[in-house]
């Protein structure tokens, strides 16, 4: 498993942008699919975006399509989430996670980073 640490959360006004980073330990980062989830107060953790081990395939929850972009740099063991046109409903703790492509469940999780969007 990899160890994951998120960076980049903060407070931003609606319509603004934030960029999250997730740094992974270990030499096998490039073998893992990566994803971002988020959890708002009183709500279930939800999927936000995912990227394949090669970076060739990405997917997004409908509510962030066209506003968020997931990317990765395997040379830096880092996955990113660029968030534009932020809305108050994007307020949540954002978590980075990983899994091998053949696995059905996301296995390693970071500690999370708070994103707060004010109206």
């Amino acid at each position: 498993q990899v160890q994951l640490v998120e960076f980049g959360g903060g407070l931003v006004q609606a319509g603004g942008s934030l960029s999250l980073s997730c740094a992974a330990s270990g030499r096998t980062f490039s073998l893992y699919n990566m994803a971002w989830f988020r959890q708002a107060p009183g709500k279930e953790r939800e999927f936000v975006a995912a990227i394949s081990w090669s970076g060739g395939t990405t997917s997004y929850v409908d509510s962030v399509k066209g506003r968020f972009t997931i990317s990765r740099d395997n040379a830096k063991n880092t996955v990113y989430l660029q968030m534009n046109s932020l809305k108050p409903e994007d307020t949540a703790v954002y978590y980075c996670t990983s899994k091998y492509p053949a696995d059905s469940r996301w296995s390693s999780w970071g500690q999370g980073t708070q994103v707060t969007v004010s109206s």
Side-chain angles (χ1 to χ4, degrees):
Q1 292 187 344
V2 294
Q3 304 296 317
L4 303 171
V5 180
E6 300 96 337
F7 301 93
L11 173 64
V12 63
Q13 288 189 329
S17 298
L18 276 177
S19 181
L20 305 183
S21 301
C22 172
S25 65
R27 295 176 292 177
T28 59
F29 174 77
S30 61
L31 300 179
Y32 290 89
N33 289 352
M34 302 295 296
W36 290 93
F37 282 67
R38 66 186 179 186
Q39 188 167 20
K43 295 189 176 181
E44 299 273 328
R45 189 174 297 188
E46 68 166 349
F47 169 81
V48 175
I51 188 166
S52 63
W53 61 273
S54 67
T57 302
T58 58
S59 60
Y60 299 90
V61 66
D62 285 348
S63 60
V64 308
K65 284 180 180 177
R67 301 189 297 122
F68 290 12
T69 302
I70 189 170
S71 62
R72 67 189 295 160
D73 185 338
N74 286 344
K76 296 182 178 180
N77 281 13
T78 302
V79 62
Y80 305 96
L81 186 67
Q82 178 64 42
M83 305 184 293
N84 299 328
S85 303
L86 282 161
K87 304 175 181 179
E89 52 263 44
D90 294 318
T91 295
V93 177
Y94 283 70
Y95 297 90
C96 175
T97 184
S98 66
K99 72 178 184 75
Y100 281 120
D103 291 346
S104 60
R105 301 185 68 178
W106 299 95
S107 54
S108 294
W109 295 83
Q111 83 289 348
T113 187
Q114 177 71 47
V115 172
T116 303
V117 184
S118 63
S119 57

